PDB file of all heavy atoms in Angstrom:
ATOM      1  N   LYS B1217      13.493 -17.625   8.654  1.00 97.00           N
ATOM      2  CA  LYS B1217      13.010 -16.535   9.573  1.00 97.00           C
ATOM      3  C   LYS B1217      13.340 -16.767  11.053  1.00 97.00           C
ATOM      4  O   LYS B1217      13.758 -15.860  11.661  1.00 97.00           O
ATOM      5  CB  LYS B1217      11.457 -16.299   9.409  1.00 97.00           C
ATOM      6  CG  LYS B1217      10.911 -15.179  10.121  1.00 97.00           C
ATOM      7  CD  LYS B1217       9.451 -14.924   9.739  1.00 97.00           C
ATOM      8  CE  LYS B1217       8.780 -13.953  10.716  1.00 97.00           C
ATOM      9  NZ  LYS B1217       9.323 -12.641  10.735  1.00 97.00           N
ATOM     10  N   ASP B1218      13.166 -17.959  11.484  1.00 97.00           N
ATOM     11  CA  ASP B1218      13.525 -18.323  12.899  1.00 97.00           C
ATOM     12  C   ASP B1218      14.966 -17.969  13.113  1.00 97.00           C
ATOM     13  O   ASP B1218      15.340 -17.354  14.119  1.00 97.00           O
ATOM     14  CB  ASP B1218      13.263 -19.771  13.152  1.00 97.00           C
ATOM     15  CG  ASP B1218      11.793 -20.208  13.098  1.00 97.00           C
ATOM     16  OD1 ASP B1218      10.916 -19.265  13.266  1.00 97.00           O
ATOM     17  OD2 ASP B1218      11.508 -21.492  13.040  1.00 97.00           O
ATOM     18  N   ASP B1221      15.797 -14.240  13.332  1.00 94.00           N
ATOM     19  CA  ASP B1221      15.544 -13.659  14.530  1.00 94.00           C
ATOM     20  C   ASP B1221      16.615 -13.820  15.579  1.00 94.00           C
ATOM     21  O   ASP B1221      16.676 -13.125  16.631  1.00 94.00           O
ATOM     22  CB  ASP B1221      14.238 -14.379  15.084  1.00 94.00           C
ATOM     23  CG  ASP B1221      12.925 -13.662  14.621  1.00 94.00           C
ATOM     24  OD1 ASP B1221      13.069 -12.666  13.962  1.00 94.00           O
ATOM     25  OD2 ASP B1221      11.807 -14.189  15.101  1.00 94.00           O
ATOM     26  N   ASP B1377       8.156  -9.958   2.713  1.00 96.00           N
ATOM     27  CA  ASP B1377       6.936  -9.890   3.443  1.00 96.00           C
ATOM     28  C   ASP B1377       6.416  -8.389   3.108  1.00 96.00           C
ATOM     29  O   ASP B1377       7.239  -7.589   2.815  1.00 96.00           O
ATOM     30  CB  ASP B1377       7.219  -9.757   4.956  1.00 96.00           C
ATOM     31  CG  ASP B1377       7.488 -11.191   5.582  1.00 96.00           C
ATOM     32  OD1 ASP B1377       7.055 -12.224   4.934  1.00 96.00           O
ATOM     33  OD2 ASP B1377       8.169 -11.326   6.615  1.00 96.00           O
ATOM     34  N   ASP B1744     -17.596  17.241   4.684  1.00 97.00           N
ATOM     35  CA  ASP B1744     -18.427  17.213   5.971  1.00 97.00           C
ATOM     36  C   ASP B1744     -17.777  18.340   6.846  1.00 97.00           C
ATOM     37  O   ASP B1744     -16.754  18.226   7.367  1.00 97.00           O
ATOM     38  CB  ASP B1744     -18.432  15.891   6.582  1.00 97.00           C
ATOM     39  CG  ASP B1744     -19.295  15.764   7.699  1.00 97.00           C
ATOM     40  OD1 ASP B1744     -19.497  16.766   8.489  1.00 97.00           O
ATOM     41  OD2 ASP B1744     -19.869  14.674   7.916  1.00 97.00           O
ATOM     42  N   GLU B1746     -18.523  19.074   9.806  1.00 96.00           N
ATOM     43  CA  GLU B1746     -18.375  18.678  11.169  1.00 96.00           C
ATOM     44  C   GLU B1746     -17.089  17.831  11.440  1.00 96.00           C
ATOM     45  O   GLU B1746     -16.467  17.949  12.447  1.00 96.00           O
ATOM     46  CB  GLU B1746     -19.518  17.864  11.663  1.00 96.00           C
ATOM     47  CG  GLU B1746     -20.600  18.605  12.648  1.00 96.00           C
ATOM     48  CD  GLU B1746     -21.683  17.662  13.013  1.00 96.00           C
ATOM     49  OE1 GLU B1746     -21.973  16.806  12.281  1.00 96.00           O
ATOM     50  OE2 GLU B1746     -22.226  17.901  14.067  1.00 96.00           O
ATOM     51  N   THR B1747     -16.783  17.044  10.452  1.00 97.00           N
ATOM     52  CA  THR B1747     -15.721  16.049  10.678  1.00 97.00           C
ATOM     53  C   THR B1747     -14.542  16.244   9.723  1.00 97.00           C
ATOM     54  O   THR B1747     -13.459  15.743  10.030  1.00 97.00           O
ATOM     55  CB  THR B1747     -16.171  14.642  10.437  1.00 97.00           C
ATOM     56  OG1 THR B1747     -16.604  14.482   9.010  1.00 97.00           O
ATOM     57  CG2 THR B1747     -17.388  14.212  11.333  1.00 97.00           C
ATOM     58  N   MET B1804      -2.402  -1.937   7.759  1.00 92.00           N
ATOM     59  CA  MET B1804      -3.234  -1.512   8.885  1.00 92.00           C
ATOM     60  C   MET B1804      -3.143  -0.051   9.068  1.00 92.00           C
ATOM     61  O   MET B1804      -3.986   0.696   9.759  1.00 92.00           O
ATOM     62  CB  MET B1804      -2.948  -2.219  10.155  1.00 92.00           C
ATOM     63  CG  MET B1804      -3.212  -3.711  10.116  1.00 92.00           C
ATOM     64  SD  MET B1804      -4.973  -4.051  10.180  1.00 92.00           S
ATOM     65  CE  MET B1804      -5.331  -3.857  11.962  1.00 92.00           C
ATOM     66  N   ARG B1810      -9.899   1.832  -1.243  1.00 97.00           N
ATOM     67  CA  ARG B1810     -10.644   0.565  -1.467  1.00 97.00           C
ATOM     68  C   ARG B1810     -11.846   0.833  -2.352  1.00 97.00           C
ATOM     69  O   ARG B1810     -12.134   1.944  -2.573  1.00 97.00           O
ATOM     70  CB  ARG B1810     -11.115  -0.085  -0.047  1.00 97.00           C
ATOM     71  CG  ARG B1810      -9.985  -0.379   0.794  1.00 97.00           C
ATOM     72  CD  ARG B1810     -10.481  -0.921   2.080  1.00 97.00           C
ATOM     73  NE  ARG B1810      -9.564  -0.721   3.069  1.00 97.00           N
ATOM     74  CZ  ARG B1810      -9.160  -1.645   3.952  1.00 97.00           C
ATOM     75  NH1 ARG B1810      -9.528  -2.836   3.840  1.00 97.00           N
ATOM     76  NH2 ARG B1810      -8.317  -1.300   4.885  1.00 97.00           N
ATOM     77  N   ASP B1812     -14.918   0.987  -1.839  1.00 97.00           N
ATOM     78  CA  ASP B1812     -15.936   1.882  -1.351  1.00 97.00           C
ATOM     79  C   ASP B1812     -15.440   3.197  -1.079  1.00 97.00           C
ATOM     80  O   ASP B1812     -16.240   4.150  -0.515  1.00 97.00           O
ATOM     81  CB  ASP B1812     -16.635   1.335  -0.150  1.00 97.00           C
ATOM     82  CG  ASP B1812     -15.832   0.965   1.000  1.00 97.00           C
ATOM     83  OD1 ASP B1812     -14.545   1.133   0.934  1.00 97.00           O
ATOM     84  OD2 ASP B1812     -16.298   0.534   2.100  1.00 97.00           O
ATOM     85  N   ASP B1813     -14.086   3.508  -1.382  1.00 97.00           N
ATOM     86  CA  ASP B1813     -13.596   4.858  -1.255  1.00 97.00           C
ATOM     87  C   ASP B1813     -13.711   5.664  -2.555  1.00 97.00           C
ATOM     88  O   ASP B1813     -13.502   6.910  -2.649  1.00 97.00           O
ATOM     89  CB  ASP B1813     -12.090   4.845  -0.857  1.00 97.00           C
ATOM     90  CG  ASP B1813     -11.924   4.269   0.503  1.00 97.00           C
ATOM     91  OD1 ASP B1813     -12.646   4.681   1.386  1.00 97.00           O
ATOM     92  OD2 ASP B1813     -10.925   3.633   0.710  1.00 97.00           O
ATOM     93  N   PRO B1872      -9.331  13.602   7.059  1.00 98.00           N
ATOM     94  CA  PRO B1872     -10.374  14.382   7.744  1.00 98.00           C
ATOM     95  C   PRO B1872      -9.802  15.381   8.683  1.00 98.00           C
ATOM     96  O   PRO B1872     -10.239  16.519   8.750  1.00 98.00           O
ATOM     97  CB  PRO B1872     -11.225  13.288   8.419  1.00 98.00           C
ATOM     98  CG  PRO B1872     -11.083  12.084   7.632  1.00 98.00           C
ATOM     99  CD  PRO B1872      -9.628  12.083   7.016  1.00 98.00           C
ATOM    100  N   GLU B1873      -8.807  14.917   9.555  1.00 98.00           N
ATOM    101  CA  GLU B1873      -8.338  15.821  10.525  1.00 98.00           C
ATOM    102  C   GLU B1873      -7.681  17.029   9.879  1.00 98.00           C
ATOM    103  O   GLU B1873      -7.922  18.211  10.371  1.00 98.00           O
ATOM    104  CB  GLU B1873      -7.319  15.083  11.488  1.00 98.00           C
ATOM    105  CG  GLU B1873      -6.747  16.124  12.405  1.00 98.00           C
ATOM    106  CD  GLU B1873      -6.059  15.563  13.650  1.00 98.00           C
ATOM    107  OE1 GLU B1873      -5.782  14.278  13.690  1.00 98.00           O
ATOM    108  OE2 GLU B1873      -5.778  16.301  14.565  1.00 98.00           O
ATOM    109  N   TRP B1876     -10.441  19.323   8.626  1.00 98.00           N
ATOM    110  CA  TRP B1876     -11.092  19.835   9.781  1.00 98.00           C
ATOM    111  C   TRP B1876     -10.292  20.994  10.382  1.00 98.00           C
ATOM    112  O   TRP B1876     -10.740  22.065  10.752  1.00 98.00           O
ATOM    113  CB  TRP B1876     -11.428  18.722  10.812  1.00 98.00           C
ATOM    114  CG  TRP B1876     -11.997  19.201  12.088  1.00 98.00           C
ATOM    115  CD1 TRP B1876     -13.395  19.530  12.248  1.00 98.00           C
ATOM    116  CD2 TRP B1876     -11.412  19.425  13.332  1.00 98.00           C
ATOM    117  NE1 TRP B1876     -13.579  19.851  13.542  1.00 98.00           N
ATOM    118  CE2 TRP B1876     -12.348  19.836  14.240  1.00 98.00           C
ATOM    119  CE3 TRP B1876     -10.078  19.318  13.749  1.00 98.00           C
ATOM    120  CZ2 TRP B1876     -12.203  20.195  15.492  1.00 98.00           C
ATOM    121  CZ3 TRP B1876      -9.811  19.538  15.146  1.00 98.00           C
ATOM    122  CH2 TRP B1876     -10.835  20.059  15.992  1.00 98.00           C
TER     123      TRP B1876
ATOM    124  N   MET C 515       5.806 -13.425   7.677  1.00 83.00           N
ATOM    125  CA  MET C 515       4.481 -13.693   8.232  1.00 83.00           C
ATOM    126  C   MET C 515       4.370 -15.182   8.660  1.00 83.00           C
ATOM    127  O   MET C 515       3.332 -15.832   8.418  1.00 83.00           O
ATOM    128  CB  MET C 515       3.418 -13.341   7.201  1.00 83.00           C
ATOM    129  CG  MET C 515       3.315 -14.015   5.861  1.00 83.00           C
ATOM    130  SD  MET C 515       1.607 -13.770   5.266  1.00 83.00           S
ATOM    131  CE  MET C 515       0.882 -15.375   5.196  1.00 83.00           C
ATOM    132  N   ILE C 516       5.357 -15.544   9.261  1.00 93.00           N
ATOM    133  CA  ILE C 516       5.265 -16.916   9.838  1.00 93.00           C
ATOM    134  C   ILE C 516       5.393 -16.905  11.377  1.00 93.00           C
ATOM    135  O   ILE C 516       6.441 -16.361  11.921  1.00 93.00           O
ATOM    136  CB  ILE C 516       6.623 -17.806   9.285  1.00 93.00           C
ATOM    137  CG1 ILE C 516       6.458 -17.812   7.771  1.00 93.00           C
ATOM    138  CG2 ILE C 516       6.496 -19.168   9.823  1.00 93.00           C
ATOM    139  CD1 ILE C 516       7.784 -18.079   7.093  1.00 93.00           C
ATOM    140  N   ARG C 555       4.772 -12.012  15.049  1.00 89.00           N
ATOM    141  CA  ARG C 555       5.635 -12.486  16.212  1.00 89.00           C
ATOM    142  C   ARG C 555       5.523 -11.458  17.357  1.00 89.00           C
ATOM    143  O   ARG C 555       6.447 -11.355  18.136  1.00 89.00           O
ATOM    144  CB  ARG C 555       7.012 -12.796  15.766  1.00 89.00           C
ATOM    145  CG  ARG C 555       7.062 -13.852  14.723  1.00 89.00           C
ATOM    146  CD  ARG C 555       8.481 -14.479  14.502  1.00 89.00           C
ATOM    147  NE  ARG C 555       8.295 -15.762  13.665  1.00 89.00           N
ATOM    148  CZ  ARG C 555       9.319 -16.576  13.364  1.00 89.00           C
ATOM    149  NH1 ARG C 555      10.502 -16.323  13.888  1.00 89.00           N
ATOM    150  NH2 ARG C 555       9.059 -17.534  12.570  1.00 89.00           N
ATOM    151  N   PHE C 697     -16.937   6.107  13.066  1.00 98.00           N
ATOM    152  CA  PHE C 697     -16.052   6.790  12.165  1.00 98.00           C
ATOM    153  C   PHE C 697     -14.704   5.810  12.014  1.00 98.00           C
ATOM    154  O   PHE C 697     -14.103   5.674  13.039  1.00 98.00           O
ATOM    155  CB  PHE C 697     -15.698   8.150  12.782  1.00 98.00           C
ATOM    156  CG  PHE C 697     -14.769   9.039  11.888  1.00 98.00           C
ATOM    157  CD1 PHE C 697     -15.347   9.930  10.960  1.00 98.00           C
ATOM    158  CD2 PHE C 697     -13.402   8.874  11.877  1.00 98.00           C
ATOM    159  CE1 PHE C 697     -14.575  10.703  10.106  1.00 98.00           C
ATOM    160  CE2 PHE C 697     -12.563   9.776  11.120  1.00 98.00           C
ATOM    161  CZ  PHE C 697     -13.293  10.625  10.173  1.00 98.00           C
ATOM    162  N   GLN C 699     -11.124   4.346  10.974  1.00 93.00           N
ATOM    163  CA  GLN C 699      -9.776   4.532  10.508  1.00 93.00           C
ATOM    164  C   GLN C 699      -9.783   3.900   9.165  1.00 93.00           C
ATOM    165  O   GLN C 699     -10.021   2.708   8.991  1.00 93.00           O
ATOM    166  CB  GLN C 699      -8.787   3.874  11.441  1.00 93.00           C
ATOM    167  CG  GLN C 699      -7.433   4.412  11.513  1.00 93.00           C
ATOM    168  CD  GLN C 699      -6.435   3.930  10.301  1.00 93.00           C
ATOM    169  OE1 GLN C 699      -6.885   3.622   9.263  1.00 93.00           O
ATOM    170  NE2 GLN C 699      -5.115   3.953  10.675  1.00 93.00           N
ATOM    171  N   PRO C 700      -9.427   4.685   8.022  1.00 92.00           N
ATOM    172  CA  PRO C 700      -9.653   4.138   6.739  1.00 92.00           C
ATOM    173  C   PRO C 700      -8.727   2.897   6.348  1.00 92.00           C
ATOM    174  O   PRO C 700      -9.017   2.160   5.508  1.00 92.00           O
ATOM    175  CB  PRO C 700      -9.414   5.281   5.756  1.00 92.00           C
ATOM    176  CG  PRO C 700      -8.509   6.163   6.545  1.00 92.00           C
ATOM    177  CD  PRO C 700      -8.790   5.952   7.988  1.00 92.00           C
ATOM    178  N   ALA C 701      -7.620   2.878   6.977  1.00 93.00           N
ATOM    179  CA  ALA C 701      -6.755   1.607   6.597  1.00 93.00           C
ATOM    180  C   ALA C 701      -7.109   0.356   7.319  1.00 93.00           C
ATOM    181  O   ALA C 701      -7.386  -0.616   6.751  1.00 93.00           O
ATOM    182  CB  ALA C 701      -5.219   2.032   6.945  1.00 93.00           C
ATOM    183  N   SER C 702      -7.206   0.518   8.696  1.00 91.00           N
ATOM    184  CA  SER C 702      -7.539  -0.673   9.496  1.00 91.00           C
ATOM    185  C   SER C 702      -9.030  -0.877   9.530  1.00 91.00           C
ATOM    186  O   SER C 702      -9.534  -2.099   9.877  1.00 91.00           O
ATOM    187  CB  SER C 702      -6.914  -0.470  10.889  1.00 91.00           C
ATOM    188  OG  SER C 702      -7.692   0.475  11.558  1.00 91.00           O
ATOM    189  N   ARG C 703      -9.822   0.128   9.406  1.00 92.00           N
ATOM    190  CA  ARG C 703     -11.296   0.015   9.467  1.00 92.00           C
ATOM    191  C   ARG C 703     -11.747  -0.199  10.941  1.00 92.00           C
ATOM    192  O   ARG C 703     -12.843  -0.483  11.192  1.00 92.00           O
ATOM    193  CB  ARG C 703     -11.855  -1.024   8.519  1.00 92.00           C
ATOM    194  CG  ARG C 703     -11.482  -0.800   7.072  1.00 92.00           C
ATOM    195  CD  ARG C 703     -12.576  -0.221   6.324  1.00 92.00           C
ATOM    196  NE  ARG C 703     -12.101   0.482   5.118  1.00 92.00           N
ATOM    197  CZ  ARG C 703     -12.845   0.886   4.046  1.00 92.00           C
ATOM    198  NH1 ARG C 703     -14.038   0.445   3.960  1.00 92.00           N
ATOM    199  NH2 ARG C 703     -12.321   1.533   3.118  1.00 92.00           N
ATOM    200  N   TYR C 772      -3.087   9.277  12.639  1.00 91.00           N
ATOM    201  CA  TYR C 772      -4.309   9.639  11.876  1.00 91.00           C
ATOM    202  C   TYR C 772      -5.204  10.611  12.543  1.00 91.00           C
ATOM    203  O   TYR C 772      -5.999  11.379  11.929  1.00 91.00           O
ATOM    204  CB  TYR C 772      -5.000   8.268  11.520  1.00 91.00           C
ATOM    205  CG  TYR C 772      -6.034   8.502  10.421  1.00 91.00           C
ATOM    206  CD1 TYR C 772      -5.711   8.551   9.123  1.00 91.00           C
ATOM    207  CD2 TYR C 772      -7.435   8.535  10.742  1.00 91.00           C
ATOM    208  CE1 TYR C 772      -6.662   8.858   8.136  1.00 91.00           C
ATOM    209  CE2 TYR C 772      -8.302   8.841   9.805  1.00 91.00           C
ATOM    210  CZ  TYR C 772      -8.002   9.012   8.494  1.00 91.00           C
ATOM    211  OH  TYR C 772      -8.875   9.237   7.578  1.00 91.00           O
ATOM    212  N   ALA C 773      -5.273  10.509  13.888  1.00 94.00           N
ATOM    213  CA  ALA C 773      -6.237  11.402  14.608  1.00 94.00           C
ATOM    214  C   ALA C 773      -5.622  11.735  15.898  1.00 94.00           C
ATOM    215  O   ALA C 773      -5.311  10.895  16.690  1.00 94.00           O
ATOM    216  CB  ALA C 773      -7.559  10.638  14.772  1.00 94.00           C
ATOM    217  N   SER C 774      -5.413  13.072  16.167  1.00 93.00           N
ATOM    218  CA  SER C 774      -4.783  13.544  17.359  1.00 93.00           C
ATOM    219  C   SER C 774      -5.828  13.481  18.437  1.00 93.00           C
ATOM    220  O   SER C 774      -7.004  13.196  18.269  1.00 93.00           O
ATOM    221  CB  SER C 774      -4.382  14.995  17.161  1.00 93.00           C
ATOM    222  OG  SER C 774      -5.507  15.767  16.968  1.00 93.00           O
ATOM    223  N   TYR C 777      -8.600  16.047  18.012  1.00 97.00           N
ATOM    224  CA  TYR C 777      -9.565  15.818  16.871  1.00 97.00           C
ATOM    225  C   TYR C 777     -10.426  14.548  17.344  1.00 97.00           C
ATOM    226  O   TYR C 777     -11.602  14.512  17.026  1.00 97.00           O
ATOM    227  CB  TYR C 777      -8.729  15.434  15.609  1.00 97.00           C
ATOM    228  CG  TYR C 777      -9.601  15.078  14.471  1.00 97.00           C
ATOM    229  CD1 TYR C 777     -10.591  16.005  13.902  1.00 97.00           C
ATOM    230  CD2 TYR C 777      -9.536  13.794  13.802  1.00 97.00           C
ATOM    231  CE1 TYR C 777     -11.393  15.665  12.862  1.00 97.00           C
ATOM    232  CE2 TYR C 777     -10.326  13.497  12.782  1.00 97.00           C
ATOM    233  CZ  TYR C 777     -11.196  14.349  12.277  1.00 97.00           C
ATOM    234  OH  TYR C 777     -11.978  14.047  11.210  1.00 97.00           O
ATOM    235  N   HIS C 780     -13.075  15.708  19.491  1.00 98.00           N
ATOM    236  CA  HIS C 780     -14.126  16.352  18.747  1.00 98.00           C
ATOM    237  C   HIS C 780     -14.939  15.352  18.054  1.00 98.00           C
ATOM    238  O   HIS C 780     -16.247  15.463  18.118  1.00 98.00           O
ATOM    239  CB  HIS C 780     -13.490  17.352  17.788  1.00 98.00           C
ATOM    240  CG  HIS C 780     -14.360  17.779  16.697  1.00 98.00           C
ATOM    241  ND1 HIS C 780     -15.334  18.750  16.944  1.00 98.00           N
ATOM    242  CD2 HIS C 780     -14.505  17.348  15.422  1.00 98.00           C
ATOM    243  CE1 HIS C 780     -16.108  18.971  15.807  1.00 98.00           C
ATOM    244  NE2 HIS C 780     -15.512  18.192  14.843  1.00 98.00           N
ATOM    245  N   ARG C 788     -24.539  12.187  16.558  1.00 98.00           N
ATOM    246  CA  ARG C 788     -25.022  11.475  15.338  1.00 98.00           C
ATOM    247  C   ARG C 788     -25.756  10.188  15.649  1.00 98.00           C
ATOM    248  O   ARG C 788     -26.752   9.919  15.101  1.00 98.00           O
ATOM    249  CB  ARG C 788     -23.879  11.239  14.343  1.00 98.00           C
ATOM    250  CG  ARG C 788     -23.370  12.397  13.651  1.00 98.00           C
ATOM    251  CD  ARG C 788     -22.426  12.162  12.521  1.00 98.00           C
ATOM    252  NE  ARG C 788     -22.016  13.470  12.017  1.00 98.00           N
ATOM    253  CZ  ARG C 788     -21.220  13.614  10.933  1.00 98.00           C
ATOM    254  NH1 ARG C 788     -20.700  12.516  10.304  1.00 98.00           N
ATOM    255  NH2 ARG C 788     -21.010  14.847  10.506  1.00 98.00           N
TER     256      ARG C 788
END
Side-chain angles (χ1 to χ4, degrees):
Chain B
K1217 184 172 166 67
D1218 289 346
D1221 272 0
D1377 285 339
D1744 185 325
E1746 258 182 330
T1747 61
M1804 293 291 280
R1810 300 183 205 230
D1812 58 357
D1813 293 319
E1873 175 161 14
W1876 178 78
Chain C
M515 64 161 243
I516 300 162
R555 302 192 171 189
F697 185 92
Q699 206 274 31
S702 69
R703 305 251 154 164
Y772 193 79
S774 67
Y777 180 62
H780 165 73
R788 287 188 178 182

